[in-house]
Amino acid sequence: MNKRQFSILLVIACFSSCYVVKNEIKKENYLLPVMNVDADNLQSTVREELGKKLFFDPIFSIDSSISCASCHNPTLAFADTHQFSAGVFGRAGVRNVPSILNIGYHPYFLREGSVPTIEMQALIPIQEKNEFDHNIVDIANQLKEDKEYDKLSRLGYGREIDHYVITRALGVYQRTLISNKSKFDKYIAGKMQLSRQEMKGMDIFFGKGNCSSCHGGFNFTSYKLTNNGLYKKYQDIGRMRATKDSSDLAVFKTPSLRNVSVTPPYMHDGSLSTLSAVIAHYNRGGEEHLNKYPLIQPLGLSRQEMKSLELFLNCLTDERFQKIP
Ligand code: HEC
Ligand code: HEC
């Protein structure tokens, strides 16, 4: 072999085996930290048991047909795969169900981030016409008749079951829904290698794709309230619904990308049916919108790069929350 052939061989060998991630991520930023919990609703096994029982109980819906778990399905990463899920009497909602895994870390709730605590959030589906169409006082009165609920409530909170106990126990249970065993988590812990293509996708995610500027951090979101250029004109006014401020028009909370492969379709309205459609959207740079974040610009990714990015997003799945057929 002459010198030239040798150096070509070296280049080929290096290309296929020593692919290096250019944008090194700080591993400590990708481990789940201790969760902050308000002193007025600390975790306990009894409270958790009560919250779990409530979460799966159809008593919440006016016709006793559905529970929280009907839309936040444990085998679909605590979301579902409908564009708009049906509430009572088959009434469809107007927003796509988000996953509530790692929800205890979120600083605010709903797709426009307008509800400040997980306890308060529970009141929304209870009253919402397209969800349970019920009210918490009637639900509490029904639950008071049940010996098991009465026992758990007194043990957990030292009082009979009422709105105070219901919202708090649901909060306690939801804070236990932790996703931290994905392929990516194993890679961070040094227990697993990612393939060369997955590494390439990771490099794009943290590098020229700009994804981590909004979806960075251990939960793959910084919870930024922003616009990602999905439409020129939105039917859903997003955060403006809560603030009435036009700078919040079509602004949504950046969702976590953990388990994202399990929960199509995507975006607040479930309008993109696959991850490759989402990536194609970002690669085009999105539509022009007054509130669009400046980094949403055409990315110029090749087909191969788009595929690698998708493979990396698939590494964020914690298979414990996925029904394996
Ligand atoms: C009919 C389907 C449905 C039911 C039933 C339902 N949810 Fe939801 N949930 C949704 C949808 C849709 C959203 C997003 C709503 C929005 O942003 O306006 C959501 C949002 C949430 C969020 C906020 C997520 C985030 O990222 O901010 C939490 C927490 C939550 N639900 C918990 C519950 C609990 C607890 C129950 C039972 C008491 C429940 N849900 C019942 C459909 C449902
Ligand atoms: C400006 C901040 C920002 C940047 C940069 C960004 N996103 Fe997003 N992303 C968002 C917001 C906000 C949403 C929710 C929009 C909505 O609900 O309509 C979102 C939604 C998504 C969703 C849908 C999640 C779901 O459960 O519905 C995926 C997947 C996603 N982004 C992946 C990416 C990828 C991959 C990149 C890089 C190519 C990226 N994002 C760059 C802010 C951003």
Side-chain angles (χ1 to χ4, degrees):
M1 190 188 305
N2 67 27
K3 219 169 148 189
R4 186 160 172 266
Q5 280 170 326
F6 179 75
S7 46
I8 289 173
L9 202 70
L10 200 71
V11 169
I12 294 171
C14 213
F15 204 72
S16 56
S17 66
C18 11
Y19 181 79
V20 198
V21 175
K22 286 184 247 53
N23 295 282
E24 276 291 346
I25 55 167
K26 279 209 180 113
K27 294 196 172 178
E28 64 271 22
N29 291 349
Y30 282 81
L31 297 171
L32 266 56
V34 175
M35 195 181 280
N36 287 327
V37 179
D38 256 15
D40 108 304
N41 192 22
L42 296 176
Q43 302 291 115
S44 82
T45 345
V46 180
R47 290 176 175 186
E48 182 186 330
E49 193 188 333
L50 174 57
K52 183 171 182 180
K53 197 167 153 59
L54 290 168
F55 192 86
F56 289 89
D57 197 333
I59 201 164
F60 276 91
S61 50
I62 190 77
D63 60 353
S64 294
S65 59
I66 56 167
S67 68
C68 305
S70 306
C71 298
H72 301 283
N73 181 335
T75 63
L76 292 169
F78 283 86
D80 68 13
T81 50
H82 300 292
Q83 181 175 18
F84 301 118
S85 312
V88 290
F89 309 116
R91 291 178 197 146
V94 292
R95 284 186 180 167
N96 183 252
V97 180
S99 165
I100 54 167
L101 285 168
N102 295 349
I103 193 76
Y105 290 105
H106 287 223
Y108 28 70
F109 303 87
L110 294 193
R111 289 195 175 268
E112 78 263 19
S114 57
V115 175
T117 68
I118 204 170
E119 283 80 9
M120 257 188 222
Q121 199 285 327
L123 294 170
I124 311 252
I126 291 175
Q127 297 166 356
E128 192 67 47
K129 196 167 166 15
N130 300 327
E131 297 187 21
F132 295 139
D133 196 14
H134 210 176
N135 86 71
I136 195 157
V137 178
D138 291 347
I139 294 171
N141 286 336
Q142 279 174 277
L143 293 175
K144 277 176 192 161
E145 308 291 313
D146 185 302
K147 280 206 177 76
E148 185 64 17
Y149 274 120
D150 188 59
K151 188 185 94 193
L152 290 172
S153 180
R154 287 176 198 280
L155 277 174
Y157 291 93
R159 57 197 280 168
E160 67 174 2
I161 195 155
D162 60 3
H163 63 284
Y164 177 96
V165 173
I166 295 171
T167 51
R168 277 168 183 72
L170 280 170
V172 167
Y173 172 61
Q174 292 180 87
R175 287 191 182 95
T176 67
L177 306 177
I178 298 295
S179 171
N180 65 351
K181 299 262 186 304
S182 66
K183 213 167 160 183
F184 174 82
D185 294 302
K186 291 174 192 157
Y187 161 78
I188 286 289
K191 291 186 186 143
M192 191 180 212
Q193 290 291 315
L194 298 186
S195 74
R196 190 173 151 265
Q197 237 191 324
E198 289 163 345
M199 292 292 278
K200 220 171 177 172
M202 177 159 82
D203 201 18
I204 295 164
F205 187 89
F206 290 100
K208 70 175 171 187
N210 296 324
C211 311
S212 59
S213 59
C214 297
H215 294 284
F218 67 89
N219 210 17
F220 287 86
T221 171
S222 59
Y223 313 101
K224 202 194 285 292
L225 299 160
T226 186
N227 176 280
N228 69 346
L230 193 59
Y231 302 115
K232 277 196 179 75
K233 260 191 141 110
Y234 283 69
Q235 279 186 11
D236 187 327
I237 61 174
R239 191 167 170 76
M240 194 177 154
R241 184 172 83 158
T243 63
K244 313 272 187 277
D245 181 341
S246 64
S247 66
D248 285 331
L249 176 64
V251 161
F252 293 93
K253 178 169 78 172
T254 304
S256 167
L257 298 184
R258 283 188 175 269
N259 306 293
V260 73
S261 70
V262 183
T263 65
Y266 302 107
M267 305 298 167
H268 68 278
D269 58 356
S271 56
L272 297 179
S273 55
T274 60
L275 281 178
S276 54
V278 172
I279 292 169
H281 154 76
Y282 284 113
N283 199 37
R284 283 192 303 270
E287 300 290 337
E288 282 318 309
H289 191 279
L290 217 61
N291 293 330
K292 188 171 86 168
Y293 191 72
L295 278 178
I296 307 282
Q297 290 297 333
L299 298 171
L301 301 179
S302 67
R303 283 169 87 102
Q304 194 58 43
E305 288 175 316
M306 286 163 67
K307 188 70 205 160
S308 303
L309 183 53
E310 185 179 341
L311 290 174
F312 173 67
L313 294 180
N314 288 338
C315 296
L316 307 181
T317 305
D318 183 333
E319 292 184 347
R320 294 173 304 164
F321 303 106
Q322 183 187 17
K323 191 166 61 199
I324 313 283

